[in-house]
Amino acid sequence: MSTILVVEDESIIRELIGETLSLENYRILEAENGVVALGLLNSLEVMPDLIVCDVMMPEMDGHGLITALQQDPKTAAIPFIFLTALGTMQDFRKGMNSGADDYLIKPFKQEDLLNAVNSRLQKQAKLSAFYQRNLPLSSSDRRRRSSSTGTPTLTPDEAEIWRDLEVGLNTGQVCLFYQPKVAIHNHCLIGCEALIRWHHPRKGFISPGIFIPIAEKTGFISVVGEWVIETALRQCQQWQHLGLDPLKVAINISAQQFHGEDLTCILRLGTQKYDVSPQQLEVELTETLLVKNVQDSIDQLNELRAEGFSVAIDDFGTGYSSLSYLQQFPFDVLKIDQSFVRHIDKNAKNKTITASIINLAHELELRVIAEGVETWAEYDTIADMRCDELQGYLFSRPLPVADFTELLSRGTDSPILPLRR
């Protein structure tokens, strides 16, 4: 039986929440403010599995409590859900920046509470089970296990990153940034790409180029991938609650997720859970991932599109047989790799190749996105080719959720940068 600590200064609300969760067979602990909650936690030998906490409370509010919890290794990894009647973007930003896993705005439905609680506990259980099952061993033990069971051999540095990544997913170190996608004809926000970021408490920023290959090597990428899906969908729900314009969010899918799991089912259940339209989600896949098993890829893509999810082929042009495979795969969006876009105004060869790709994509009724646009010269060249959308530092770097929320609050009909023509 999972234990949940409910921290709420209004006794009626605290009792109602406790009663609701008790009916779901959760063991409930109660505290009327942050000070009482800390005292209770210090007296416990076994920590609760989840904390549901109001923001505004006397003596110590919710922000003070979560700050104190994250400074103690015993409590830093406990999932934390904020409850508040303050639904402004500033309040939302402060809550998520504090390290909360979720943010429910009062009044909320009983179903919303149960969904949030069940989601966090299920994710915590899955991560813990995976971590215990695959805990990195000593060098000698790793070599023995690798030879007998196929578990990958990890260097000491890789093993440390693997251990720390699981902790980071649970303590708010890992988060999603969102890079705007902009319509070329009017410079307005048309969507975004969710990008995983990890700020380690001791090592600082750790590049996805370092920890994603380790996650793939160990198989932990499936856990990371589900975390990304759930986090992105929960964020879409939060934007809906704030009354912001809906927009399409793209997420990157690994080969293991695509070929080894029921991806369509995971996405379907996620969109239902967070009440997000499948049309708001775009699945980004690399070309090399698709060509590993062509027929299986085609079947999987058809399933995704039948559910309403759009599909983008990412880093296009870097694979082996791009043009020959282009007509076989049922997808909606083609993203031109930034290696073709960089200095395209000065590189005649890349300019010719890119123009041909865009023309062919349009003939196949695909939307085309240029990645990595950093200068106005690159923009002008791409725009002259009738590319549909762009991503790049010229308009915006990837933004933390609070900053992207502020950008989205301006509306999707306001140009990010002034028009030049």
Side-chain angles (χ1 to χ4, degrees):
M1 178 183 294
S2 296
T3 300
I4 300 174
L5 171 59
V6 179
V7 188
E8 165 66 62
D9 62 318
E10 295 189 38
S11 59
I12 294 178
I13 296 178
R14 188 172 66 246
E15 291 171 5
L16 286 173
I17 292 174
E19 194 173 300
T20 298
L21 297 176
S22 295
L23 291 174
E24 298 295 315
N25 294 320
Y26 292 121
R27 178 172 175 261
I28 303 303
L29 303 175
E30 296 184 6
E32 57 265 34
N33 59 50
V35 173
V36 175
L38 284 178
L40 176 61
L41 291 169
N42 288 332
S43 69
L44 297 175
E45 294 185 5
V46 179
M47 292 297 104
D49 301 285
L50 174 70
I51 296 175
V52 177
C53 180
D54 189 22
V55 173
M56 301 296 294
M57 297 181 295
E59 296 190 62
M60 178 185 285
D61 65 8
H63 297 297
L65 175 59
I66 193 172
T67 299
L69 295 178
Q70 292 185 342
Q71 293 173 353
D72 187 340
K74 293 190 303 180
T75 56
I78 302 175
F80 196 99
I81 298 176
F82 266 134
L83 309 176
T84 181
L86 302 175
T88 68
M89 283 177 291
Q90 291 79 8
D91 297 311
F92 169 75
R93 176 177 183 171
K94 185 176 180 181
M96 300 310 287
N97 285 348
S98 297
D101 296 280
D102 211 339
Y103 194 95
L104 292 179
I105 299 173
K106 300 176 181 177
F108 49 82
K109 298 178 181 178
Q110 182 182 63
E111 181 182 1
D112 294 334
L113 173 65
L114 294 176
N115 283 341
V117 167
N118 292 335
S119 171
R120 294 316 311 166
L121 290 175
Q122 289 170 11
K123 178 63 67 178
Q124 184 82 348
K126 185 180 293 186
L127 288 170
S128 298
F130 188 96
Y131 184 61
Q132 292 297 324
R133 190 168 62 247
N134 298 278
L135 186 66
L137 308 173
S138 67
S139 298
S140 58
D141 286 341
R142 264 200 317 274
R143 284 193 294 269
R144 286 196 297 272
R145 178 177 284 189
S146 177
S147 61
S148 61
T149 67
T151 299
T153 300
L154 302 176
T155 68
D157 286 344
E158 289 175 332
E160 182 179 9
I161 288 175
W162 185 16
R163 288 194 299 267
D164 289 353
L165 179 58
E166 192 271 341
V167 174
L169 286 175
N170 282 318
T171 58
Q173 299 171 24
V174 181
C175 63
L176 291 183
F177 277 35
Y178 298 86
Q179 185 171 29
K181 294 181 181 180
V182 178
I184 281 186
H185 70 283
N186 63 8
H187 297 182
C188 290
L189 182 66
I190 199 169
C192 64
E193 179 179 359
L195 300 166
I196 192 168
R197 295 291 184 263
W198 182 13
H199 192 276
H200 195 283
R202 298 188 311 278
K203 301 175 182 178
F205 174 75
I206 299 179
S207 169
I210 294 175
F211 68 84
I212 290 297
I214 295 172
E216 291 175 337
K217 184 177 182 180
T218 59
F220 194 64
I221 192 65
S222 62
V223 175
V224 175
E226 287 195 34
W227 179 90
V228 168
I229 291 171
E230 180 155 350
T231 302
L233 289 172
R234 185 168 63 245
Q235 186 57 59
C236 288
Q237 184 187 60
Q238 293 290 346
W239 287 328
Q240 289 177 181
H241 288 169
L242 292 172
L244 301 179
D245 293 340
L247 80 169
K248 194 176 290 289
V249 178
I251 56 174
N252 293 279
I253 299 297
S254 69
Q256 183 172 322
Q257 281 181 285
F258 186 71
H259 289 297
E261 302 176 11
D262 191 346
L263 178 62
T264 304
C265 181
I266 291 172
L267 293 173
R268 183 197 308 119
L269 293 176
T271 52
Q272 292 173 352
K273 174 181 176 181
Y274 290 102
D275 193 25
V276 174
S277 168
Q279 283 73 28
Q280 280 188 248
L281 208 61
E282 188 164 274
V283 176
E284 290 196 2
L285 308 158
T286 63
E287 178 189 356
T288 51
L289 178 158
L290 294 174
V291 300
K292 288 181 179 179
N293 187 327
V294 174
Q295 189 54 55
D296 177 66
S297 296
I298 291 173
D299 293 341
Q300 180 85 308
L301 293 178
N302 282 326
E303 286 184 12
L304 288 167
R305 298 182 76 223
E307 290 285 340
F309 304 107
S310 62
V311 178
I313 183 167
D314 197 11
D315 301 334
F316 189 80
T318 59
Y320 297 102
S321 305
S322 301
L323 296 178
S324 65
Y325 281 108
L326 186 57
Q327 298 183 60
Q328 295 190 44
F329 294 116
F331 52 89
D332 309 281
V333 182
L334 184 149
K335 296 187 72 176
I336 300 173
D337 186 69
Q338 59 184 341
S339 63
F340 289 92
V341 175
R342 189 178 298 114
H343 307 308
I344 191 172
D345 53 304
K346 302 173 183 176
N347 189 320
K349 182 179 179 180
N350 280 359
K351 186 175 180 179
T352 300
I353 293 173
T354 302
S356 298
I357 292 174
I358 292 174
N359 288 333
L360 178 57
H362 283 161
E363 288 179 11
L364 297 173
E365 299 183 346
L366 302 177
R367 196 167 82 250
V368 184
I369 302 175
E371 296 184 284
V373 179
E374 298 184 357
T375 69
W376 281 115
E378 293 170 352
Y379 167 89
D380 288 337
T381 304
I382 288 292
D384 287 341
M385 296 177 182
R386 299 186 303 112
C387 188
D388 303 299
E389 303 172 23
L390 64 82
Q391 269 180 268
Y393 287 3
L394 175 63
F395 281 78
S396 177
R397 294 173 177 268
L399 300 173
V401 62
D403 292 342
F404 188 86
T405 300
E406 288 184 1
L407 177 64
L408 183 56
S409 70
R410 303 176 196 172
T412 54
D413 55 355
S414 299
I416 294 180
L417 290 179
L419 297 175
R420 297 176 67 243
R421 45 169 82 191

